[in-house]
Amino acid sequence: MYIADETWPELGDYLEDESIALVPLGSTEQHGPHLPLATDHIIAEAYAREAAERTGYLCTPTINIGVSPHHRQFHGTMWVDAPTFRNYVESFTRNLAYHGIDRVIYVNAHGGNVEHLREVGRHLRDEEVLYAIEWMWNDSIPDLVDDLFDQNGPHGGPKETAMIQHLRPELVREDRLEDARDGGLKSIDEAETTKFGARTFYDAADNTDNGVLGDQTDATAEKGEQMFEEATAQLVKLCEWLDSQDFQDLMPKKHV
Amino acid sequence: MYIADETWPELGDYLEDESIALVPLGSTEQHGPHLPLATDHIIAEAYAREAAERTGYLCTPTINIGVSPHHRQFHGTMWVDAPTFRNYVESFTRNLAYHGIDRVIYVNAHGGNVEHLREVGRHLRDEEVLYAIEWMWNDSIPDLVDDLFDQNGPHGGPKETAMIQHLRPELVREDRLEDARDGGLKSIDEAETTKFGARTFYDAADNTDNGVLGDQTDATAEKGEQMFEEATAQLVKLCEWLDSQDFQDLMPKKHV
Amino acid sequence: MYIADETWPELGDYLEDESIALVPLGSTEQHGPHLPLATDHIIAEAYAREAAERTGYLCTPTINIGVSPHHRQFHGTMWVDAPTFRNYVESFTRNLAYHGIDRVIYVNAHGGNVEHLREVGRHLRDEEVLYAIEWMWNDSIPDLVDDLFDQNGPHGGPKETAMIQHLRPELVREDRLEDARDGGLKSIDEAETTKFGARTFYDAADNTDNGVLGDQTDATAEKGEQMFEEATAQLVKLCEWLDSQDFQDLMPKKHV
Amino acid sequence: MYIADETWPELGDYLEDESIALVPLGSTEQHGPHLPLATDHIIAEAYAREAAERTGYLCTPTINIGVSPHHRQFHGTMWVDAPTFRNYVESFTRNLAYHGIDRVIYVNAHGGNVEHLREVGRHLRDEEVLYAIEWMWNDSIPDLVDDLFDQNGPHGGPKETAMIQHLRPELVREDRLEDARDGGLKSIDEAETTKFGARTFYDAADNTDNGVLGDQTDATAEKGEQMFEEATAQLVKLCEWLDSQDFQDLMPKKHV
Amino acid sequence: MYIADETWPELGDYLEDESIALVPLGSTEQHGPHLPLATDHIIAEAYAREAAERTGYLCTPTINIGVSPHHRQFHGTMWVDAPTFRNYVESFTRNLAYHGIDRVIYVNAHGGNVEHLREVGRHLRDEEVLYAIEWMWNDSIPDLVDDLFDQNGPHGGPKETAMIQHLRPELVREDRLEDARDGGLKSIDEAETTKFGARTFYDAADNTDNGVLGDQTDATAEKGEQMFEEATAQLVKLCEWLDSQDFQDLMPKKHV
Amino acid sequence: MYIADETWPELGDYLEDESIALVPLGSTEQHGPHLPLATDHIIAEAYAREAAERTGYLCTPTINIGVSPHHRQFHGTMWVDAPTFRNYVESFTRNLAYHGIDRVIYVNAHGGNVEHLREVGRHLRDEEVLYAIEWMWNDSIPDLVDDLFDQNGPHGGPKETAMIQHLRPELVREDRLEDARDGGLKSIDEAETTKFGARTFYDAADNTDNGVLGDQTDATAEKGEQMFEEATAQLVKLCEWLDSQDFQDLMPKKHV
C-alpha cells in the first residue's frame, strides 16, 4: 500500500490493523558517466514499493536527497548536511507515530545514509517512540552480489548498474560502461584508502577520477532482476518478522 | 532537464551555460475522502517538470513531505516540524550553489510551505548565497481559478480536484465528490476562522469534519488541463524573466 | 492591569481568578522621514494597555524589537533573526504558563511578526501548553481603514501616521508628510511586487526609496482616534470571547 | 538621543559621526510586596536614557524581560531561558553593527543578566563584530551604596527601593516597607547561601519567604536621587572613555 | 571510589546504597612560564579523588578541557565554546541520573567554568533531574589563602603554584618563579580591569604579558599541602552534608 | 610531548616547527565483570602518549567520556549524546587550529566514537580548517589480533583484556575471566545481530547478559605487549606520513 495514493479514510482502515511503515531513502548524486544521479533513490523506491505491494504494508514517499557531501566535486550532486538529514528523518518518523505507526524500516540504497539512519533509529528507540531500523538491499544478499560480478565496486559499479538496467534501462548509458570502468577505479584494492589503520580519504574524488569504482562491463539487466527478486524476498521476510514481534520486545531492555 | 535522469558530465554541460534550478515541493497530507495524500506533491512535480521540459532549465527531485501539522488529525498525514523543514530546504539549496546554481524557483503546491520557503529564500539572499523565490501555481492564475469554480475552497476543493483529474485521473475517487462536499465545509465564508480580527483556528480539523473545503462537484479534467496550461505558461515566463536578470540586481540593495 | 506595575502578591490575586495575558509586540524600524522608528511598538502597546485597562485583564511589557530584516537598509532599523524571535517569544510565553496563564493574545502591530507569532502559537497549542493567538489592529477594522484613506499603504502610510498623530503627536514630523508621499511609493499597485505569481521582492528598499508606501497627507489625529476606538472595542470583545471559552475547546481536536 | 523617537534620516546623521549605542536591559520579576515587577527595567531605562540625553549618544529601547528563573515561584515573574536570552541579545546587537555601531554598553539593572551579557560581549568581540560591555549602576558607586543603607540587600532592598522612590514614587507601596523587611531576609549574612565553599541555593525562594532581602525602611527618594546622579555621572564618563578609544585597541590582542 | 577503576557489578553495589558523584573539572590552559597547562585539571582531580577516597563516594574521570577562550592568545591553550561545554556537562550529568545518581558535586578548579556549571546545575534542578552544585577549592578556604600569600593572584599565582608544588612538584619550573612574577601582573590592584563600574577586559592578555598574576615567589609545597588538607576537609563535609539531605529538600520549592 | 605538562613558552617552540596533534579518545563504560570502565580510555591514552613520546609530536589530554548509550543498561556507564559529543570534539579541535595545528589524529579506542569522529573530521576538512582523521589501534593490526585469540570479541574480549593486562594489570579481575566468558556471548557468530540484512539490535544488552563478547581466557599480558608494540609502530608511521604531506594535498580536491 502506497500511502500517497490513498485517501485518509482508507488509511484509517490500514492503521486500525497494522503499524508498519517502509520508508525508501536514497540520494541524488553522481554515479559516473553511465548512470543517472537518481540511481540510489530509484533502487530504494523500487524495493520499498515492491515489498509493500507483496505484503500489503504501508510504503511512504521516497526521500530523494541524502548525505552526499563526499560526491560534491561532481556536477549536480545534491546533499543536505548530516545533522539536517538526521533531524528531517527523525521529525517525519516521529510524526508517523502520531497515527499509530510503531515500527519503521528505512529501505535505504545509499551508503552515506546508513550511520545517520541508525542514529535516528537509536534515538527514537531510546525514547521509546517507535522501533526503526535501516535495511540496505545488498547487505541482505552479500553472497549473490559477490558471485555475480568480478569487481562489484561500492559506488557506481556493476551491482548498481545492473539494478538500473533492470529497473530503468532507458537511464543507463550502455555505450559508456567501458569508459566508466577505465576512467574510474576498477578495483577497490588498488586504492590507498587507509594508512596504517586510519581511513585517510573523505571524498570519492580522492580515489576515482570519474566518480565510480568497479568493472561495470559485466552488469546485465538479468543480474539486476535476480538481485531484485532475492533481496525483495529478504525484505518481505524482514517485514513479516517485524510484524510478528511484540512491541515491548523491540524496545530497550531495562537496566540490569 | 531533470537532474536525476542525467549523469554528472551531462550536468556539467548544463551548468557551464545556465544557473537556474526549479525545485518542486508539496506535502503528503490528507485531501479528503476523494483525493490522495499525494495531491500537492503531484501538482508541484507536474508544473516543475513541464516548465523544465519546455525551457530546458534544470528541475530537481520533488520534496514530498512538508509542513502539515495542521492536517495531522487525519490518518496518514506526514509532516516535518517547521524549523526542520526550513533547515532541510536551506541546506540542499545552499549546496546547489556549490555547482554554480545562483537562482532557484521553489515550485510549491502546499500553502503550509509558503512562509517557510520565503524565510529560507530571504536568508540565502541576505547572505548573498543565491536568489530563491517561491511560486505557487494558483497565485499565478487567480482570475481563472475564480472563474472556473463556484466554491474553489483552499484545500481539497475543486481547484485541486481538477488538477488531479487532469494529471492522475486514476487517483481521484469520482464517486465521493458529493460526499467530499457534503462532509466538509462547502464555503469558506461559512467558517468562523477569525474572531474580531484574530485568526483563531490552527488546524483543518477545527473547520471541517472531513478535512476539505469547497464544492468539488464542478471539477473536471478539462478545467484541470486549462489551469495547467495557463499556469505553466506563467511559470515559463518567470523562468525567462529570472534568467534575464543580472545577478547583482537580484541581490539585496546596499544600505542607503 | 499592567503586570509590571504590580507586586507579586497583587498578581497572585489576579491569577487566582483569571488566566489571560495580553502581550504587545512591535518593532523598532524605519517608518519613513515623518514617523519615528517606534511606530509599531507604540501602537501595539497602546492597544494592549487600553484593552487591559478596560477589561481588567493582564498586560505584559512590550516586545520592542521584532523581525525586521526587510527594513535594514534604512538607518537605525533594529531586528532579531526570525528563529531567535520565535524562540524568545515562545520562551517567555511558555513560562507564563507556570503561573497559570493559559490563554495569550499577541497584540501585534508589525506585519513582519505575524507568521512567527502564529508559528509559536501553533507550537504551544500542539504541545497543549496554552492557547496563544495573534491579533493585529488593522485586521480587526479593515473596512474602516479602507474608508478613511485614499492610499493607506501597508507601511508608514496614512493608517500608521494617523495612529501616531493620535497617540504621540509630538513624534510626527508633520512638515514631511508630502515628502514622505512623494519620495516613497504612493500606491502599492504601482509596484511590481510579483512576477507571474511569484513574490519577487524581499526588502522594503526594493520597492520604495524612502521606505514608505501610501499617501500620508490625508492622515489626521481624529482618524487615528476613530480607528483606535473601534479596534480597541474589537480587542475587548476578543478578550471576552477568549475568557468565555472552555480551555479544552481551545486545545487541538483529537485524531479522527 | 533615543533611537525609537527618531526617523531614519535623522539617525543617518548620527551614525555618520558616532558609533556608540546604549542598550538598557532589566527584568520583569517579583521585587517583594512593596516594589513593582518593573523595578529592574525602570532603573535600567532611566540610566540609559539620562546618559544618552546628557551625552547625545544613542539609546535603544529597553529589553524588559531577562533571565529570572530564580524568581519564578513568585506570581507574575516573567523570564526567558538563558540560551534564548543570549541569542536574542546577540542577534539585535550584531545587527546594530550593520549600521556602523561598533561599541555598545549594556546598561543592565538585573544581576541575573550579568554573566549572559558578558558571554555575548565576549562572543561578539572574539569575532571582531563590535565591542560590547556590561555596566550595572550599583557596581559604579559601591561605596556610596554601602554608606547610604544599613542592610542594602541584593534584591528588593533599600537600594532598589530608593531608586524607584526617586524615579517612579507612585509605584512604591510605602505602607509595606516594614512588611517587606520583616517577611524577607533582613541580612544576607543570616542566610546560609553556601556550604563549605559551594553555593547551595538556586532560587530566591530558597532564602527568603517574600522574595526580598535587606532593610527597606531606610530608603528615601533623596538617597535614590543621589545614587542616580552619581551613577549617571559614572556612566557618562564610561561613554566618553569608550568614544575616545581606538577601535583596534578594543579588539582582542593578537596571539603572542 | 573511582568509577573508572571499577567493574559494572561492583558499581551496582555502590549504587544500591549511594547516589552521590563527584565530577572533577579543570582546563588545559596557559599558566605562565612556570606552571604546566594541566594546572587546573591536576588540582581538580586531586581534590575529587582524595575526597572520594576518604568518604567512599564515587568520583568520575576528569573533564580536562573547559571554557578558556580568555587564555587563547598563549600557545597551547585548549578550549571549547561555552554553549558546547554546558551541553557536554549537562549530557553526561543527566545520563548519570539513569543509574540512580541524584546529587552531583562539580569539583571545579577553573574560574572560567563556574557560571557555566551553575547554569547546568540550575537547568537540571529546574527539571528535577538531579541536584548538582559547583565547588571550588579556594572558595572553601578564603581566609587561609589570604593569610598564606602576599599577592595570591587569581591566575597562575602562588596559590596555584603551591598546589602544583605539592601535588606534582616535577611539573613546576622552580627557576622561573621570579620571571613569572616580573613578567606578569604582580598585583591585581595595579590592573585597570574596570572603568566606571564596567568590566572592560575580556582576555588575560589584556592585563598580563606572560599570562599570570600575583607573586609566585612565596609559594611552597608545604603551603600547598596545608591548603590541600584544609580544603579537602571542607569537601568531605560538603559530601556528608549532601548525603544527609532529603532529596525533596534539594529540589525547587513549589510556587507560593 | 604531552601538552598538559608543558608551559606555554615551551609549546611556542613546538608550534613554530610542528603542526600535528594526537588526541586520545575513549569511553567510560562497562567492560564486563573483569575489566574496569576505564578500559577504552586507558588504551587510547597509552597509544597516544607512547607515539607522542617516540616521535616528539604533541599529545593532548584524553577525552574520557564518549558515545556509549548502547551500554547504558550496565551500572556506571557514562555517556554523552551523539550530537553533543560531535560538537565538543569539533569545538576543541577547531580551536587547536588557532595555534597553528593543522593536522590531528584522533587516537580512538571506542568503536562507538568512530563515525562521529569521522563526521567531525569531514566537517573540519570541508571547511578547510584542518585535517583530522580517526585511528583505532586494532584496525592497524587486524591480522595479529586474529592470530592471537580464538574468539577476540568486539567488546570486553581477550583483545581488550590483554591490553589492560599489559598496561594496568592491577585493574584486571583475573579470577573472573572464565565468568566473563561464560556469562557473556562467547562467539559473535552465535548472536542474531542481523535479520535479513538489517541490523536489528541497538544495545549491548540485546546480545549479552554480562556486557561482553569473546573468550577472555586466552588473554595474556605478553599478547597485550605484542599488540601494543606493533600498533604503536603503525601509529608512529601514520604520524610520519601525515607530517610528510603537503597541507594542500590533505585538503578537499576542487570541483571537477
Side-chain angles (χ1 to χ4, degrees), chain A residues 74-130:
Chain A
F74 298 94
H75 302 294
T77 293
M78 297 183 72
W79 78 98
V80 286
D81 300 331
T84 303
F85 179 77
R86 286 187 294 261
N87 289 343
Y88 186 77
V89 175
E90 180 167 327
S91 185
F92 73 72
T93 307
R94 184 184 294 272
N95 292 337
L96 281 173
Y98 182 80
H99 299 299
I101 298 291
D102 67 13
R103 48 206 84 187
V104 166
I105 301 172
Y106 294 127
V107 180
N108 176 39
H110 172 51
N113 294 341
V114 174
E115 290 304 324
H116 308 298
L117 295 171
R118 286 187 182 155
E119 184 170 326
V120 169
R122 151 171 303 289
H123 198 219
L124 291 169
R125 185 185 184 240
D126 283 3
E127 293 193 6
E128 308 204 6
V129 174
L130 51 66

Side-chain angles (χ1 to χ4, degrees), chain C residues 174-189:
Chain C
E174 294 283 349
D175 57 340
R176 297 191 208 144
L177 297 187
E178 291 189 12
D179 282 359
R181 179 195 59 199
D182 299 340
L185 187 74
K186 188 174 169 187
S187 164
I188 186 75
D189 304 330

Side-chain angles (χ1 to χ4, degrees), chain B residues 125-168:
Chain B
R125 184 186 185 240
D126 283 2
E127 292 192 7
E128 309 203 7
V129 175
L130 50 67
Y131 179 74
I133 47 173
E134 189 264 354
W135 178 87
M136 202 154 154
W137 66 280
N138 45 310
D139 290 338
S140 75
I141 50 168
D143 297 338
L144 176 61
V145 170
D146 276 351
D147 290 349
L148 288 176
F149 308 107
D150 183 45
Q151 295 283 351
N152 65 51
H155 184 76
K159 181 176 67 177
E160 294 185 336
T161 304
M163 283 303 306
I164 303 300
Q165 284 171 323
H166 169 55
L167 295 170
R168 297 284 302 278

Side-chain angles (χ1 to χ4, degrees), chain E residues 42-155:
Chain E
I42 288 172
I43 296 173
E45 186 168 303
Y47 279 109
R49 294 277 190 97
E50 183 70 17
E53 189 158 312
R54 291 189 192 179
T55 59
Y57 294 123
L58 196 69
C59 178
T60 72
T62 304
I63 305 304
N64 297 310
I65 308 173
V67 184
S68 308
H70 49 302
H71 292 294
R72 72 195 180 290
Q73 283 94 345
F74 298 95
H75 302 295
T77 293
M78 297 182 74
W79 78 96
V80 285
D81 300 331
T84 302
F85 180 77
R86 287 188 293 263
N87 289 342
Y88 187 77
V89 175
E90 179 167 328
S91 185
F92 73 72
T93 306
R94 185 184 292 273
N95 292 337
L96 282 172
Y98 182 81
H99 299 300
I101 299 291
D102 67 13
R103 48 205 85 188
V104 166
I105 301 171
Y106 295 127
V107 180
N108 176 38
H110 172 51
N113 294 341
V114 173
E115 290 304 325
H116 309 298
L117 294 171
R118 286 187 183 155
E119 183 170 328
V120 169
R122 153 171 302 289
H123 197 219
L124 291 169
R125 184 184 184 240
D126 284 2
E127 294 193 5
E128 307 204 7
V129 175
L130 50 67
Y131 179 74
I133 48 174
E134 189 263 354
W135 178 87
M136 202 155 156
W137 67 279
N138 45 312
D139 290 338
S140 75
I141 50 167
D143 296 339
L144 176 62
V145 170
D146 276 352
D147 289 349
L148 288 176
F149 309 108
D150 185 42
Q151 294 283 352
N152 65 51
H155 184 76

Side-chain angles (χ1 to χ4, degrees), chain D residues 42-62:
Chain D
I42 288 171
I43 297 173
E45 187 167 300
Y47 278 109
R49 294 278 190 96
E50 183 69 18
E53 190 156 312
R54 293 189 191 180
T55 60
Y57 294 122
L58 196 69
C59 178
T60 72
T62 304

Side-chain angles (χ1 to χ4, degrees), chain E residues 10-72:
Chain E
E10 293 155 358
L11 288 162
D13 296 341
Y14 175 83
L15 291 162
E16 211 166 307
D17 296 328
E18 303 288 357
S19 64
I20 289 184
L22 295 142
V23 178
L25 302 105
S27 69
T28 299
E29 69 183 21
Q30 71 86 9
H31 275 77
H34 62 304
L35 288 179
L37 271 69
T39 296
D40 288 350
H41 69 249
I42 288 172
I43 296 173
E45 186 168 303
Y47 279 109
R49 294 277 190 97
E50 183 70 17
E53 189 158 312
R54 291 189 192 179
T55 59
Y57 294 123
L58 196 69
C59 178
T60 72
T62 304
I63 305 304
N64 297 310
I65 308 173
V67 184
S68 308
H70 49 302
H71 292 294
R72 72 195 180 290

Side-chain angles (χ1 to χ4, degrees), chain A residues 18-36:
Chain A
E18 302 289 357
S19 65
I20 288 184
L22 294 141
V23 179
L25 301 107
S27 69
T28 299
E29 69 182 22
Q30 71 87 9
H31 275 79
H34 63 304
L35 288 179

